[in-house]
Amino acid sequence: GRRNLRSSAPIAVVGALVLVLTGCGGGNTNDAESPSVDVATSVTSPVVRVVSAVEFAAVVDEPDVTVIDVRTPEEFAISRLEDAELFDIASPDFIEMISTLNTSGRYAVYCRSGNRSAVATAAMRDLGFTDVVELGGGILEWESAGYATVSG
């Protein structure tokens, strides 16, 4: 019994991730334009840490951290973290854009609810980034925890 549960657990986790990630494309239904991500290895990545709004706030206050918003330009204009840079994951050239960043830099990544940032941070890991923090629950969690956003 135990052996079968253990061997099927990674399959269940990957299946759940696939279900979550397929529903977060931000309106982009053309899979050919979505970044290619190896979901199976993103489950246990030591490179990407998913943190709470409180932990994320501490990270974004540190020097030399680049804050990355992976939502659409429309969402970015409505509400975003101060000093965030836009890297729209729905853009066909997302991988090309994110590849221009220094892979040894420090990055804090968020989206609306955490789904698109999970895809983005997995892509960053696959590109060789070494220090990435992801906001669990996205900007919705950030705002519900009482942290400020800017618009425009």
Side-chain angles (χ1 to χ4, degrees):
R2 277 192 110 131
R3 185 175 185 171
N4 289 342
L5 284 176
R6 190 173 296 145
S7 64
S8 64
I11 295 169
V13 169
V14 170
L17 276 175
V18 169
L19 288 174
V20 167
L21 297 178
T22 55
C24 68
N28 180 7
T29 57
N30 184 349
D31 289 335
E33 294 181 2
S34 296
S36 175
V37 175
D38 182 356
V39 176
T41 56
S42 68
V43 175
T44 58
S45 172
V47 171
V48 177
R49 290 186 309 126
V50 180
V51 299
S52 70
V54 172
E55 293 170 288
F56 198 79
V59 170
V60 300
D61 280 345
E62 293 174 11
D64 302 321
V65 173
T66 302
V67 181
I68 297 176
D69 185 322
V70 298
R71 300 173 304 153
T72 65
E74 295 80 15
E75 290 172 298
F76 185 80
I78 293 169
S79 176
R80 67 180 177 279
L81 275 65
E82 190 169 12
D83 299 323
E85 297 180 27
L86 178 63
F87 287 85
D88 181 2
I89 195 163
S91 170
D93 58 349
F94 172 77
I95 296 296
E96 183 181 322
M97 292 185 311
I98 210 84
S99 295
T100 65
L101 299 172
N102 179 352
T103 57
S104 61
R106 299 194 66 218
Y107 300 94
V109 181
Y110 72 94
C111 66
R112 186 182 72 83
S113 65
N115 293 326
R116 288 174 281 178
S117 60
V119 174
T121 56
M124 292 173 77
R125 183 214 57 236
D126 290 349
L127 289 168
F129 286 79
T130 58
D131 189 353
V132 181
V133 175
E134 177 188 342
L135 175 56
I139 199 167
L140 295 176
E141 180 64 29
W142 178 264
E143 291 174 331
S144 75
Y147 291 103
T149 58
V150 296
S151 61

